[in-house]
Amino acid sequence: MNTVPATASVVVIGAGPAGMTAGIALADAGVDVVLLDQLAEGANTSRAAVVHARTLEVLDEFGVAGELTERGLIVDQFDLNDGARRLATVGFDGLPTRFPYALLISQATTEEVLLARLRKAGGTVLRPYTVSVVKGDETGVTIEFTDAAGDPGSIRADYVIGADGMHSVVREQAGIGFTGASYPESFALADVRMDWPDPRTEVSLHLAPQGFMLVAPLPDEQDDRFRIVATIDEAPEYPDLAFMQAIIDDRHPGGRVREVLWSSRFRVHHRLADHYRAGRILLAGDAAHVHSPAGGQGMNTGIQDGALLGQLLARVLHGEPDILLDQYEAIRRPIAQGVVALTDRMTRMATLRPRPARALRNAVIRIALSFPGMRRAMAFRLAELTAR
Ligand SMILES: Cc1cc2nc3c(=O)[nH]c(=O)nc-3n(C[C@H](O)[C@H](O)[C@H](O)COP(=O)(O)OP(=O)(O)OC[C@H]3O[C@@H](n4cnc5c(N)ncnc54)[C@H](O)[C@@H]3O)c2cc1C
């Protein structure tokens, strides 16, 4: 446990991908930045599994896109199926970017790379400190926290970034609403070793009357590791091998699960912060937006938030007018709004049950995505290149 200083120019609360990216941008610009996180060490669970092209472009500015690409698995195709029938294939190759692919990589690895880069820039993460109070005034922000022993402390900052995830204390303390709702289905998620018929350069979404199933290859020396995400009315807390095998048998027979490496059940919400800024307090990442995992956009949007916010804040701290910070919400909130809307449409379409509605959906998808321009637009949107 490191000691928290009495003051810093910027305190970032939460050292997930969004907070660390903001920390890198600030530290690179020579800003005195401190990151506080309540966990004793970074989470090592899998969570987000894909880094999209726009995020790689942003991270390339910090010089880490190359290392991520080396450690990840390149996927250039997204397949959409209903049962055994292929509805459409969307290719990422040919996208106008230096990174014309989706990079499959575990969130733990992405966070490891970001943390190393943050340290290289001179930034540090102080742990474990749980923030409970964030009070802004005209000249700065006071943050109160407790350490591992439960002893209280405080730090004063010019600005605070709340990158403390979906249940953000910073958002709550700033009195910013988080408008939206939850999906009725639960999601079963498992990282497995399995025999799978499709090439490991493809991610596939399988639509079925029981719900959808997404299968994505994960980087691994044995080349047999996959992420499975499926909607289900009521999933067990830790889906086991038999449960995941039954989902595959129902929705796309042909795969054989040999081992469940990690599994979880979660409910998904779609919510957007009413504002990204309250005076000297700003929000980034899941603290500002949460949505369905369809399309794997969550962490990507958060990293891009962090990069822009860190850069704008550094310019303000180097003398530009504070009003510059209003650009952050003006640019990033509509992007998150678009991601929430897109993933909501994808989730609702993928979870349709009545047979006539499914038949109509399939026909619309097949016809729409038979046009190369529509496939390209879909790939562009999934890669978040619209956020440029
Ligand atoms: C099971 C699961 C599966 C997922 N799958 C996907 C996926 O496939 N694709 C995708 O894009 N996204 C996925 N996500 C979401 C993705 O993990 C998040 O979008 C991403 O982690 C958001 O990053 P963040 O930096 O905003 O917040 P987080 O990663 O949530 O980090 C917030 C940090 O703040 C710290 N913190 C919280 N409160 C306090 C406090 N009071 N004081 C101090 N520190 C605090 C936490 O310890 C944490 O380290 C998944 C999430 C889960 C849980």
Side-chain angles (χ1 to χ4, degrees):
M1 186 170 78
N2 328 65
T3 313
V4 179
T7 61
S9 292
V10 179
V11 172
V12 179
I13 299 165
M20 281 197 282
T21 307
I24 293 168
L26 287 159
D28 271 2
V31 172
D32 163 31
V33 56
V34 164
L35 283 83
L36 300 180
D37 199 288
Q38 66 186 2
L39 295 179
E41 53 185 62
N44 61 3
T45 50
S46 197
R47 295 163 294 148
V50 61
V51 177
H52 285 298
R54 178 61 193 148
T55 311
L56 287 168
E57 289 180 350
V58 166
L59 291 176
D60 200 31
E61 289 174 29
F62 301 128
V64 293
E67 182 179 353
L68 285 171
T69 303
E70 267 168 36
R71 295 180 67 176
L73 182 70
I74 288 178
V75 157
D76 52 23
Q77 192 170 307
F78 178 67
D79 300 325
L80 199 51
N81 309 280
D82 189 348
R85 190 166 184 203
R86 173 71 44 96
L87 297 177
T89 292
V90 174
F92 296 110
D93 50 349
L95 282 174
T97 167
R98 292 189 303 287
F99 307 98
Y101 45 79
L103 187 72
L104 276 291
I105 185 164
S106 90
Q107 184 166 336
T109 309
T110 303
E111 289 187 6
E112 191 186 310
V113 171
L114 290 175
L115 180 61
R117 178 62 179 78
L118 176 69
R119 286 186 175 142
K120 200 169 149 199
T124 44
V125 180
L126 306 180
R127 304 171 177 277
Y129 293 102
T130 303
V131 171
S132 51
V133 176
V134 180
K135 262 190 255 161
D137 55 46
E138 303 238 308
T139 58
V141 187
T142 301
I143 300 121
E144 294 176 18
F145 55 80
T146 46
D147 65 14
D151 293 332
S154 71
I155 175 171
R156 178 87 178 158
D158 296 327
Y159 289 92
V160 161
I161 296 179
D164 51 340
M166 183 166 74
H167 304 289
S168 172
V169 165
V170 180
R171 187 186 62 233
E172 194 188 290
Q173 289 277 303
I176 298 175
F178 203 34
T179 306
S182 308
Y183 291 101
E185 302 88 5
S186 61
F187 285 66
L189 185 150
D191 288 356
V192 303
R193 292 199 182 283
M194 72 170 175
D195 301 319
W196 182 245
D198 298 344
R200 281 175 60 78
T201 47
E202 299 175 10
V203 170
S204 54
L205 183 66
H206 303 272
L207 307 175
Q210 307 86 335
F212 74 74
M213 172 179 78
L214 182 111
V215 179
L218 293 176
D220 181 65
E221 279 168 11
Q222 296 178 40
D223 272 352
D224 62 355
R225 191 173 174 135
F226 292 84
R227 158 72 55 90
I228 303 174
V229 183
T231 48
I232 194 104
D233 287 339
E234 280 306 327
E237 195 175 351
Y238 300 105
D240 62 10
L241 192 151
F243 188 86
M244 296 314 295
Q245 185 64 55
I247 287 181
I248 290 181
D249 293 345
D250 264 357
R251 303 181 190 188
H252 185 69
R256 190 176 68 84
V257 181
R258 282 186 274 103
E259 186 185 354
V260 172
L261 300 164
W262 179 79
S263 73
S264 165
R265 164 193 70 190
F266 62 105
R267 282 205 179 273
V268 175
H269 315 266
H270 47 101
R271 292 182 188 278
L272 186 63
D274 297 344
H275 293 285
Y276 276 24
R277 175 177 190 193
R280 291 172 172 268
I281 303 171
L282 298 116
L283 302 177
D286 277 17
H289 46 75
V290 289
H291 40 77
S292 155
Q297 314 278 298
M299 183 185 74
N300 288 272
T301 314
I303 288 176
Q304 293 169 42
D305 289 345
L308 180 67
L309 179 53
Q311 283 155 355
L312 290 174
L313 205 41
R315 285 170 55 189
V316 169
L317 288 162
H318 287 316
E320 292 193 47
D322 171 277
I323 198 154
L324 185 68
L325 286 176
D326 288 347
Q327 279 188 21
Y328 171 60
E329 174 171 332
I331 294 172
R332 293 302 305 171
R333 193 169 178 277
I335 288 169
Q337 217 163 9
V339 171
V340 172
L342 173 73
T343 54
D344 185 50
R345 272 200 306 279
M346 286 169 74
T347 306
R348 286 182 197 284
M349 270 181 41
T351 49
L352 278 177
R353 294 240 169 139
R355 189 187 281 265
R358 295 181 56 235
L360 180 65
R361 170 200 66 197
N362 292 354
V364 169
I365 292 175
R366 262 204 321 276
I367 293 166
L369 293 180
S370 67
F371 295 102
M374 290 294 279
R375 289 201 297 276
R376 193 177 151 83
M378 179 81 182
F380 202 79
R381 191 105 198 247
L382 284 173
E384 295 202 6
L385 292 171
T386 40
R388 275 173 173 160

